[in-house]
Amino acid sequence: MQTKISRRTFLEVTGGAALATSLAGCFGVGSSQSTTTTGGGSGSTNGVTIWDIRTGSEQKVVQTITNDFNTKHSNIRATLNFFQNDPYKQKLQVAMGAHNPPDIFFGWGGGILKSYIDANDVYDMTNDFNSDASWKNRIIPSVLAGATFNGKLYGVPTSGVQPVLFFYNKDIFKQYKLNAPQTWNELLNAVDTLKKNNVIPIALAGGSKWPYLMYSEYLTDRIGGPDAFNAVLAGKANAWSQDAFIKANTAIQQLVTMGAFGSSYASTIADTNQDTALLYTGKAAMMLQGSWNFPVIQTNSPDFIKSDKLGWFPFPSVEGGKGNAANIYGNPCNFYSISKTAKSPQSCITYLKDAVLGDEEVKQFIAVGDVPPVQGIESQLASAPNGEWLQYNYKMVQTSPHFQLSWDQALLPQPAQVLLTNLDQLFLKQITPQQFSDNMNKTLSAS
């Protein structure tokens, strides 16, 4: 039976035992997890309460590291509480509204965190982070964007990274004498060659809608750079009408017209990994998806990886575009943030500095297949199972000047849903790029 692992799962689930030796996702949720705690430090004077949602192997890592922290810090007692994902989100929202949240809370960054910041419920840790060079220099800078607003930092990474990139079938590329495209025109040429030979050029799970995002995100960035979407986040009038969005969505419809995604993309579902199956069964040559699909292939078609048939490459540059080809999209990581009502913010800072993504936790996370956003771990990744893959993901993030959180996570929930609806209509050619922009501009005032 095929293992079902989707991007949504990886936004919510992590640490499953079945993925212990592969690249597990970092967005945790318990399916039947009850609240548990761990702590120590007899005679402690400063308690730190932490809410988290990770399960399985990652939860064990967090518990071990927290116990070690309590042993080494007799004056601070850190207590972990684990919850299921959906109840957690509701519980945190209620707690924030009542001004009685935990001292440290687990989150995704983006629009939800921004709503708590706007309500003055989150501690600004900018000065704490910047004043400790060893702490600041430990973290890969690009992942901090998801928890940075108006130049201020409201969260630090607490998990692995998940960039979006192209996967490809090496056998098919070899058969038709294709190289991994480095530019948009090279990608179009590859699509044309594959289409002429009755191979689906790119697997796309349009039935799930959110995979459409990846094309609009990357093309907009490659054409206009990060400033284009930043204007949307800033709520600037008619921000969606910028040239970068129009050109990006025009390029998308060009792909659709070429038949780049085959004839059944609109009914292909990501949650059951139908797009990924097209790739490893040889029916499709490429797939633009998140790194969370690597363990899907490893679980459902391990020989495809063992026989070196799986390849990968970054989203190509766009001729004439001003965006940096090293920019990436996806899910940078999860974050730990400190609530404004924390009993002892400095005890929280001590926990974040000493326990979270320190040397020991990094070592343990790599052992369960994560890629922590920490500097200088190349040799550890190289010696781990699937080291080549882990190193590639790590280098992508390490060298990226900008790692943008997926738009549907960066935006507030209402405009995010409108975005998915309009992308669906765009890919089905039910609306034009201009109509897409007009529709999305209406959400700017609404948000």
Side-chain angles (χ1 to χ4, degrees):
M1 182 174 69
Q2 188 183 65
T3 300
K4 298 179 181 180
I5 307 171
S6 71
R7 177 254 198 175
R8 292 298 180 195
T9 303
F10 273 89
L11 283 170
E12 299 176 349
V13 182
T14 189
L19 302 181
T21 60
S22 61
L23 180 61
C26 63
F27 298 81
V29 54
S31 57
S32 60
Q33 184 68 30
S34 59
T35 301
T36 58
T37 62
T38 181
S42 59
S44 61
T45 57
N46 295 311
V48 174
T49 301
I50 304 151
W51 286 7
D52 202 318
I53 60 175
R54 283 173 283 190
T55 64
S57 56
E58 280 203 349
Q59 184 186 112
K60 291 178 182 178
V61 171
V62 176
Q63 287 176 321
T64 298
I65 295 302
T66 300
N67 284 334
D68 290 346
F69 173 86
N70 285 331
T71 299
K72 296 174 182 176
H73 297 77
S74 59
N75 64 326
I76 302 175
R77 183 181 188 272
T79 302
L80 283 165
N81 297 269
F82 292 97
F83 304 91
Q84 294 180 0
N85 180 75
D86 288 337
Y88 167 77
K89 291 177 179 178
Q90 184 176 7
K91 185 178 180 67
L92 181 62
Q93 184 177 16
V94 171
M96 285 292 189
H99 301 291
N100 188 34
D103 299 304
I104 295 175
F105 62 94
F106 179 99
W108 294 261
I112 294 177
L113 178 59
K114 180 65 162 53
S115 68
Y116 293 142
I117 294 168
D118 290 344
N120 198 32
D121 290 327
V122 187
Y123 176 81
D124 176 3
M125 63 177 73
T126 310
N127 291 335
D128 301 283
F129 189 71
N130 290 338
S131 64
D132 190 324
S134 62
W135 187 21
K136 181 178 181 179
N137 295 335
R138 190 165 80 221
I139 305 300
I140 294 176
S142 64
V143 302
L144 297 173
T148 301
F149 301 90
N150 296 320
K152 296 182 179 180
L153 183 67
Y154 293 93
V156 291
T158 183
S159 56
V161 299
Q162 294 178 350
V164 167
L165 70 168
F166 266 105
F167 295 87
Y168 73 99
N169 187 311
K170 288 184 178 180
D171 281 358
I172 294 177
F173 268 53
K174 183 178 181 181
Q175 182 178 354
Y176 297 110
K177 298 179 174 58
L178 297 172
N179 296 316
Q182 297 183 35
T183 67
W184 184 247
N185 285 337
E186 289 179 3
L187 180 67
L188 295 181
N189 290 335
V191 167
D192 187 56
T193 297
L194 293 162
K195 188 71 171 60
K196 288 177 180 177
N197 287 281
N198 298 314
V199 176
I200 298 173
I202 307 172
L204 174 61
S208 298
K209 295 186 181 180
W210 58 261
Y212 291 148
L213 269 170
M214 304 175 190
Y215 290 89
S216 193
E217 289 167 345
Y218 264 121
L219 281 166
T220 300
D221 185 89
R222 294 292 188 262
I223 293 168
D227 288 346
F229 186 64
N230 285 342
V232 170
L233 291 177
K236 293 184 179 180
N238 299 314
W240 287 100
S241 291
Q242 293 174 85
D243 215 31
F245 291 107
I246 299 293
K247 288 182 177 178
N249 291 335
T250 299
I252 285 171
Q253 292 196 330
Q254 179 186 7
L255 282 178
V256 173
T257 300
M258 292 176 67
F261 308 118
S263 59
S264 302
Y265 70 93
S267 60
T268 301
I269 304 299
D271 290 351
T272 52
N273 305 306
Q274 292 175 356
D275 51 347
T276 312
L278 290 173
L279 182 76
Y280 63 71
T281 59
K283 296 177 181 177
M286 294 176 278
M287 176 181 69
L288 181 64
Q289 263 285 8
S291 62
W292 51 84
N293 276 271
F294 185 91
V296 173
I297 300 172
Q298 187 177 50
T299 300
N300 296 323
S301 184
D303 288 343
F304 188 73
I305 293 175
K306 290 178 182 177
S307 58
D308 195 31
K309 294 181 179 180
L310 177 65
W312 47 81
F313 60 90
F315 195 92
S317 63
V318 174
E319 291 83 354
K322 65 178 183 180
N324 192 320
N327 289 345
I328 51 180
Y329 272 75
N331 304 310
C333 64
N334 282 120
F335 299 93
Y336 268 157
S337 298
I338 301 172
S339 64
K340 200 70 173 287
T341 58
K343 297 179 291 295
S344 175
Q346 287 309 307
S347 294
C348 296
I349 291 293
T350 300
Y351 176 83
L352 296 179
K353 286 198 296 186
D354 294 359
V356 179
L357 295 186
D359 291 345
E360 184 57 33
E361 187 172 55
V362 166
K363 179 181 177 181
Q364 293 188 33
F365 273 153
I366 291 174
V368 299
D370 278 352
V371 181
V374 173
Q375 304 278 16
I377 60 173
E378 290 88 347
S379 61
Q380 293 184 64
L381 294 171
S383 60
N386 300 310
E388 182 183 0
W389 164 253
L390 298 178
Q391 289 179 89
Y392 185 86
N393 281 263
Y394 179 74
K395 186 175 180 180
M396 276 189 75
V397 176
Q398 187 183 40
T399 59
S400 174
H402 184 75
F403 191 162
Q404 174 62 52
L405 177 66
S406 297
W407 288 354
D408 62 336
Q409 299 296 313
L411 294 170
L412 295 174
Q414 189 271 339
Q417 186 55 53
V418 176
L419 172 61
L420 294 178
T421 299
N422 276 272
L423 279 173
D424 187 39
Q425 295 172 338
L426 180 81
F427 272 79
L428 294 176
K429 300 181 73 174
Q430 295 172 349
I431 59 174
T432 66
Q434 185 60 59
Q435 288 173 320
F436 172 93
S437 293
D438 292 343
N439 293 342
M440 289 308 302
N441 282 332
K442 296 174 184 177
T443 69
L444 293 173
S445 58
S447 61

